[in-house]
Amino acid sequence: MIKMKKIAVLTSGGDAPGMNAAIRAIVRTSLNNKIDIIGFRNGYEGLIDNDFVVFDRRLVGNIIQRGGSILHTSRSSRFVNKKYRMIAENNLRSHKVDGLIIIGGEGSTKGAIALSKISKTRCVVVPATIDKDMALVGSSIGFDTAINTALTAIDKIRDTATTANVTHIVEVMGRNCGWLGILAGIGAGAEVTIIPEVKTNITKLAQKIKHQLNRGKKGCIIILAEGGFSKGGASLAGALKEKGNFDLRITTLGHMQRGGNPSAVDRVLATELGVNAILALKDGFSNVIIAKPVDTIKKVEFDKVVNAKVNVDMYLHDLIENTA
Ligand code: F6P
C-alpha cells in the first residue's frame, strides 16, 4: 500500500457517455480514502496550461447521469511534443501529485505512455471510448450507450425503409474498428454490416441485397462502420448502383453517437473502473489500464442451476454507498 496525498484526473480524446460517472466515482473514492483530488480541464491541454479544479464531493453531485465530461476533453497536438510534456510534468510536480488517472481511449493511452517516459508520477488509464478499440481490456465506457443511441436511430430508419420499400445505408462511427458496427448490426437486425476488418466485395454485396429483396423484404439496412468502405456511404451507394437498380438512401449518425445520458451498463462500468483506478494507485500500480474483460458464453447444466442459490454481487452493492 502506497501513501498517497493527492491524485489528479483528466478526460481526454473523443468524449464518451459515462465519463462523468467515472469522474464521480474517482473523486468520491479518493476523498473517502483521504486523498485530495484535482481535475485538469481539456485533457492533456489542461495539464500543459495548468488549468485545474480542486474537487470536493459536491462538485461531482448530479453528474452520474449526464453525457459528456464536466472536465471537457481535447485531442492535444501539443502533448505529442516532448517540450510540452515536460511542462505538464512540471505542473504535476508543482501540485505534488502522487497519481494521475487518465479517462480516455487508445490515443490518450499513447499520451500516458509518452508521459511515463519522463515522469515519476504513477499513472493509470480508465478506458473510455465509444469505439471499444483497445486491445485486451474488454469494453470501454461509452460503448454500450453509443450502440443504444445508434439502435434508437436505426429502428426509426427501419420503419421508413420497410414502409417505403427503400434500402438504407447507415454509417456508424468506430474509427478503424468494427465493434460498434457489429453490435449495431446485430441489435438492429441489419441485413449486412460492413466493417474495416473485412474487405467488401461489391458484386457479392449487391447479390446479397438482391437476394434479400427477392425474398420479400421491403427494404434492407446496411450498416457501414467507419473505415469500412474507403470513401464512405456515398461511394458505397455509387458502387452498389453500378451493380443493380437499387433505391438507396444514406444516413450518417455521426457525433450523436457520442452524446446522451449513459446507459445503465456504462454507469456501472464507469463506477467500477473509477473506484478501482484509485485502489490500483493506492496498491502501487502504475502504467496499467483498469480493465474488466467481458465474460464468454458458457454451458451450465440444468441440475446445477435449479437448486442453486442466486448470489447478488455484494461488491457492487457496497459501491453504492462508497460512492454516494
Ligand atoms: O474515438 C471516438 C470517435 O467518435 C471515433 O468514432 C471517430 O472516428 C472520431 O472520434 C471522430 O473524432 P472527432 O470528433 O475529433 O472528429
Side-chain angles (χ1 to χ4, degrees):
M1 197 77 84
I2 304 282
K3 180 80 195 130
M4 297 224 131
K5 286 197 176 144
K6 193 187 273 185
I7 286 176
V9 59
L10 59 85
T11 50
S12 168
D15 49 287
M19 279 182 161
N20 280 328
I23 294 170
R24 171 185 177 271
I26 286 165
V27 168
R28 296 264 166 94
T29 310
S30 192
L31 296 175
N32 287 346
N33 281 276
K34 301 195 171 18
I35 304 168
D36 292 338
I37 177 135
I38 61 173
F40 286 99
R41 297 189 185 93
N42 305 317
Y44 291 119
E45 287 288 298
L47 201 52
I48 296 167
D49 296 334
N50 199 23
D51 182 4
F52 68 97
V53 54
V54 179
F55 274 120
D56 65 27
R57 306 181 67 81
R58 293 278 40 90
L59 277 182
V60 294
N62 200 18
I63 65 167
I64 193 169
Q65 77 282 18
R66 280 167 55 192
S69 164
I70 59 166
L71 284 175
H72 304 274
T73 66
S74 66
R75 300 190 192 278
S76 174
S77 50
R78 286 192 295 167
F79 205 68
V80 177
N81 186 326
K82 189 173 176 190
K83 181 177 101 182
Y84 289 106
R85 289 202 299 277
M86 292 300 299
I87 295 173
E89 164 62 2
N90 284 339
N91 287 332
L92 284 170
R93 272 199 220 153
S94 70
H95 283 288
K96 297 199 171 66
V97 166
D98 303 302
L100 173 65
I101 301 174
I102 287 144
I103 305 172
E106 204 222 359
S108 310
T109 306
K110 284 186 181 143
I113 293 168
L115 181 66
S116 72
K117 309 274 186 238
I118 56 155
S119 174
K120 289 207 169 65
T121 308
R122 287 195 168 71
C123 179
V124 301
V125 168
V126 169
T129 161
I130 65 161
D131 301 331
K132 195 187 165 191
D133 60 349
M134 297 166 76
L136 308 177
V137 306
S139 199
S140 48
I141 296 164
F143 177 64
D144 182 73
T145 308
I147 302 160
N148 283 303
T149 302
L151 290 181
T152 303
I154 300 164
D155 288 349
K156 293 178 185 184
I157 292 171
R158 174 76 83 182
D159 287 345
T160 169
T162 52
T163 303
N165 305 324
V166 171
T167 289
H168 285 251
I169 297 170
V170 185
E171 293 186 85
V172 299
M173 279 187 164
R175 212 165 52 129
N176 44 20
C177 174
W179 266 121
L180 195 48
I182 292 174
L183 267 67
I186 294 173
E191 278 66 34
V192 179
T193 298
I194 299 172
I195 58 170
E197 290 84 349
V198 181
K199 197 169 166 11
T200 306
N201 179 321
I202 285 292
T203 308
K204 283 194 182 148
L205 177 64
Q207 280 165 358
K208 264 191 215 170
I209 303 295
K210 275 183 202 159
H211 177 66
Q212 295 285 358
L213 296 175
N214 291 340
R215 272 177 160 180
K217 291 218 176 184
K218 300 291 181 206
C220 291
I221 299 288
I222 303 171
I223 305 287
L224 173 58
E226 186 177 353
F229 197 77
S230 54
K231 293 191 192 85
S235 72
L236 176 64
L240 272 173
K241 279 183 177 164
E242 281 175 20
K243 303 283 175 189
N245 186 26
F246 296 108
D247 193 7
L248 292 167
R249 301 288 185 280
I250 307 158
T251 305
T252 305
L253 297 185
H255 285 76
M256 69 179 287
Q257 293 159 101
R258 291 231 299 251
N261 301 356
S263 64
V265 168
D266 278 330
R267 295 180 201 196
V268 175
L269 180 66
T271 302
E272 277 194 270
L273 297 183
V275 168
N276 278 282
I278 297 289
L279 300 182
L281 284 173
K282 275 187 71 188
D283 284 343
F285 285 95
S286 185
N287 300 345
V288 293
I289 300 177
I290 311 301
K292 191 179 183 197
V294 185
D295 290 338
T296 51
I297 295 276
K298 288 180 186 164
K299 284 97 186 163
V300 185
E301 287 90 11
F302 290 164
D303 53 357
K304 286 210 176 125
V305 176
V306 180
N307 296 316
K309 185 175 178 299
V310 176
N311 292 313
V312 295
D313 190 331
M314 290 312 290
Y315 165 73
L316 288 183
H317 169 267
D318 293 346
L319 283 188
I320 300 168
E321 282 181 30
N322 291 340
T323 54

